[in-house]
Amino acid sequence: MSKKVRLDRIVSHLELREIRAKYCYAIDERDWNEFRTLFTDDPVLDFGAMGVYKGRDGLDRFINEFVENQLLGSAHLLANPLIEIDGDEATGAWYVNSPITFTDGTGAWRLGRYDDEYRRIDGRWRIDHIQLRFIYTADYDGETWSDLCLVSKS
């Protein structure tokens, strides 16, 4: 493998880690302008029982119907990335651990796995497909998101 190919592979690994982190921060901070920039033109977000959202309209449905209407707060923590790159396509697997509090006051600590597909378009990596499956959930209730936060949002 040439130095140029190895360097491109290292840079791509870093960019893919960053795009996955930006996705998590965008949801947790509700930065929908940033969130929308992370995807291809026709993405698929498959969250199992939480819904499947397709295309740009699906992104808006996910934001409005799920996050804004049902999710009071979340904090994503990623671990153990496995990234495979094949030219301008890549896959990634990530564990995600996250406290999630819903607008009805219930919530859970969840551990899940993201399986992603990425495409490089015009030199920039984008998320094309996400599949999220939960491995375990530990429910909690009686606390609000603000009670769980160490730092208040401004």
Side-chain angles (χ1 to χ4, degrees):
M1 185 181 313
S2 72
K3 287 182 183 181
K4 184 179 186 305
V5 170
R6 287 190 307 211
L7 180 59
D8 179 61
R9 185 174 168 82
I10 291 167
V11 169
S12 290
H13 268 261
L14 293 171
E15 289 173 347
L16 291 166
R17 287 173 185 251
E18 186 171 313
I19 197 169
R20 175 37 86 182
K22 284 181 177 182
Y23 166 93
C24 294
Y25 278 108
I27 289 177
D28 295 341
E29 297 173 2
R30 304 205 177 187
D31 183 348
W32 304 129
N33 291 328
E34 173 73 12
F35 183 79
R36 288 181 181 94
T37 70
L38 304 175
F39 295 91
T40 61
D41 288 338
D42 195 29
V44 175
L45 286 69
D46 177 355
F47 298 134
M50 293 185 339
V52 177
Y53 305 91
K54 295 180 180 181
R56 289 285 163 171
D57 291 340
L59 290 179
D60 290 335
R61 275 191 332 99
F62 171 68
I63 290 166
N64 295 316
E65 294 175 14
F66 181 73
V67 181
E68 291 293 344
N69 287 330
Q70 297 180 42
L71 191 62
L72 185 60
S74 62
H76 292 74
L77 175 65
L78 299 173
N80 300 1
L82 295 174
I83 298 170
E84 295 291 328
I85 300 166
D86 184 13
D88 288 335
E89 296 182 354
T91 59
W94 312 79
Y95 283 131
V96 58
N97 194 352
S98 180
I100 299 172
T101 301
F102 296 99
T103 54
D104 68 2
T106 64
W109 287 94
R110 291 190 172 168
L111 175 70
R113 177 178 163 155
Y114 283 115
D115 286 292
D116 299 336
E117 295 174 14
Y118 307 95
R119 284 191 319 197
R120 186 165 33 196
I121 300 168
D122 296 327
R124 189 165 172 215
W125 286 104
R126 299 274 194 262
I127 301 169
D128 189 51
H129 187 272
I130 295 172
Q131 181 181 33
L132 171 63
R133 294 298 182 261
F134 292 110
I135 298 166
Y136 79 77
T137 298
D139 293 335
Y140 57 80
D141 58 55
E143 299 182 55
T144 66
W145 178 248
S146 60
D147 293 334
L148 296 172
C149 290
L150 297 176
V151 178
S152 64
K153 290 187 176 184
S154 40

